[in-house]
């Protein structure tokens, strides 16, 4: 994106390319702004209906991460129809449509092309009040850091390909990815979060580093033992079942992170593990964070946890212990 020509200044563009935030936000009127985002990827599970649900939940997530409500979506499809047939595609589209319905948004169209490798996702448009947009920067010393879903998704989906997951583990990682961030976003109503993003490809520490560096002059402290993990993640990581993307994250953010001496490489890899359709990462005042966690637990989001805290800048933007 940095190779694009510098945009012309438009005062209505509230969030654009320059902040690596989750989605673009454009002000339409004094009390209404439009959120736009798009995402698509290749299948990460074999079940086409589940893949459709996951791809939709992932695409919708960036609207929730900006504090918005998704309103309309369009399907983006690349598919080898002659090889895989209409039934498989129909299942993908049905999975997505069911998630879109759950979100309250409406499918208005889409576009498909013939493609050797299947790809699917959504473009999503949402609405938000211009003064209630969540940004991925603005965390304040004294904040607690909340994560609303378990991590370990990259490690577990890699284990699928090596036939190392039990059916129960496969179901759990799939359900985790397919879970909308709708409840996590709605439970923030009435609180004043200072920074919000969703955890995806850069992993927990990668997205935390964006938050810390984008904010400036703060350190985000993450406690490994407090981070909710999908069951079996530790064992898989110890065995070295870690996707290339997660190792790349680990390398890319090395300069920004200080790891505690006791954190072994497999633990560092878990903290950097690339996520598909992860939870919200919220920096908010500590007392609010505790209330927020209670609300989430009451709504059945029992894995939501306080995973760290924010201080003034202390050596590195991220300290993991
Ligand atoms: Co995002
Ligand atoms: Co995204």
């Amino acid at each position: 994106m940095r190779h694009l020509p510098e945009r012309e200044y438009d005062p209505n563009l509230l969030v654009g390319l320059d902040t690596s935030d989750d989605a673009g936000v454009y002000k339409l009127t004094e009390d209404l702004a439009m959120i736009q985002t798009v995402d698509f990827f290749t299948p990460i599970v074999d079940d086409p209906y589940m893949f459709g649900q996951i791809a939709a939940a992932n695409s919708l997530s960036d609207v929730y991460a900006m504090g918005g409500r998704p309103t309309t979506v369009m399907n983006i499809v690349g598919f080898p129809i002659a090889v895989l047939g209409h039934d498989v595609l129909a299942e993908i589209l049905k999975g997505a449509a069911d998630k879109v319905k759950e979100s309250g948004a409406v499918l208005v169209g889409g576009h498909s092309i013939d493609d050797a490798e299947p790809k699917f996702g959504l473009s999503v448009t949402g609405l938000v009040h211009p003064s209630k947009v969540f940004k991925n920067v603005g965390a304040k010393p004294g904040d607690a850091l909340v994560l609303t879903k378990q991590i370990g998704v990259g490690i577990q989906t890699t284990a699928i390909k090596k036939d190392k997951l039990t059916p129960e583990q496969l179901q759990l990682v799939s359900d985790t990815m397919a879970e909308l961030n709708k409840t996590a976003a709605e439970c923030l109503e009435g609180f004043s979060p200072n920074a919000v993003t969703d955890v995806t490809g850069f992993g927990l520490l990668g997205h935390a580093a964006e938050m810390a560096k984008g904010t400036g002059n703060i350190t985000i402290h993450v406690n490994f033992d407090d981070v909710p993990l999908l069951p079996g993640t530790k064992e898989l990581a110890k065995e070295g079942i870690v996707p290339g993307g997660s190792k790349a994250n680990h390398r890319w953010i090395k300069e920004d992170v200080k790891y505690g001496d006791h954190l072994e490489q497999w633990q560092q890899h878990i903290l950097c593990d690339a996520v598909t359709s992860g939870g919200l990462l919220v920096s908010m005042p500590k007392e609010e964070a505790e209330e927020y966690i209670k609300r989430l637990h009451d709504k059945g989001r029992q894995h939501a946890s306080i995973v760290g805290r924010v201080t003034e800048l202390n050596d590195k933007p991220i300290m993991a212990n």
Side-chain angles (χ1 to χ4, degrees):
M1 288 296 180
R2 67 179 184 277
H3 301 295
L4 293 175
E6 206 170 318
R7 68 178 161 83
E8 281 179 43
Y9 177 72
D10 182 332
N12 292 320
L13 185 62
L14 304 182
V15 179
L17 290 175
D18 41 359
T19 57
S20 51
D21 216 315
D22 296 297
V25 184
Y26 191 84
K27 188 167 88 174
L28 300 171
T29 67
E30 282 316 305
D31 47 25
L32 197 62
M34 178 173 68
I35 303 172
Q36 288 181 288
T37 181
V38 58
D39 216 333
F40 61 96
F41 46 69
T42 55
I44 41 170
V45 291
D46 289 335
D47 176 355
Y49 178 75
M50 181 55 89
F51 171 55
Q53 290 188 80
I54 292 167
N58 179 70
S59 299
L60 289 157
S61 177
D62 282 328
V63 171
Y64 294 123
M66 303 305 291
R69 173 173 63 83
T71 51
T72 49
V73 310
M74 291 200 267
N75 288 328
I76 299 163
V77 183
F79 201 77
I81 201 82
V83 183
L84 292 177
H86 288 93
D87 291 353
V88 174
L89 179 56
E91 282 295 298
I92 294 173
L93 297 179
K94 184 169 186 307
D98 285 351
K99 276 291 149 185
V100 169
K101 189 172 176 211
E102 186 185 331
S103 78
V106 179
L107 176 69
V108 296
H111 185 69
S112 62
I113 58 164
D114 198 52
D115 194 345
E117 191 178 25
K119 298 174 188 78
F120 180 73
L122 303 177
S123 77
V124 185
T125 302
L127 296 173
V128 65
H129 191 283
S131 67
K132 291 187 174 168
V133 177
F134 297 153
K135 296 192 178 165
N136 65 349
V137 298
K140 291 196 169 72
D143 279 0
L145 196 69
V146 176
L147 176 64
T148 66
K149 280 190 196 180
Q150 298 139 292
I151 62 167
V153 169
I155 288 165
Q156 301 235 348
T157 51
T158 300
I160 297 172
K161 293 169 203 140
K162 297 179 191 287
D163 236 346
K164 293 243 181 195
L165 281 198
T166 65
E168 292 75 25
Q169 283 177 311
L170 174 60
Q171 190 65 47
L172 191 56
V173 66
S174 301
D175 290 344
T176 300
M177 291 187 284
E179 182 186 300
L180 289 178
N181 279 329
K182 184 176 198 273
T183 301
E186 286 173 354
C187 285
L188 282 171
E189 182 71 41
F191 293 133
S192 37
N194 292 315
V196 181
T197 191
D198 57 348
V199 175
T200 52
F202 298 143
L204 174 58
L205 292 194
H207 290 279
E210 276 189 343
M211 193 179 274
K213 290 166 73 179
T215 300
N217 284 317
I218 59 158
T219 291
I220 291 180
H221 302 254
V222 174
N223 300 321
F224 181 84
D225 290 337
D226 294 333
V227 176
L229 302 179
L230 289 162
T233 300
K234 289 181 183 178
E235 290 71 17
L236 292 165
K238 270 187 215 173
E239 266 188 69
I241 298 175
V242 175
S246 305
K247 288 179 184 163
N249 286 342
H250 184 248
R251 282 195 302 276
W252 284 333
I253 60 169
K254 213 158 75 183
E255 299 301 312
D256 299 323
V257 185
K258 188 172 177 190
Y259 294 101
D261 292 336
H262 59 284
L263 276 193
E264 295 183 41
Q265 194 178 56
W266 64 267
Q267 293 171 299
Q268 299 176 17
H269 280 155
I270 289 174
L271 293 176
C272 296
D273 188 35
V275 177
T276 299
S277 191
L280 295 187
L281 185 67
V282 185
S283 185
M284 65 202 295
K286 187 164 181 292
E287 314 73 56
E288 288 197 358
E290 283 161 5
E291 268 314 298
Y292 178 46
I293 295 281
K294 267 190 218 143
R295 273 191 207 177
L296 288 169
H297 289 184
D298 285 347
K299 298 266 183 192
R301 300 296 187 268
Q302 72 272 26
H303 301 292
S305 310
I306 293 179
V307 299
R309 65 200 169 87
V310 180
T311 65
E312 308 274 345
L313 183 63
N314 177 355
D315 199 6
K316 296 277 186 180
I318 299 288
M319 306 260 267
N321 276 288

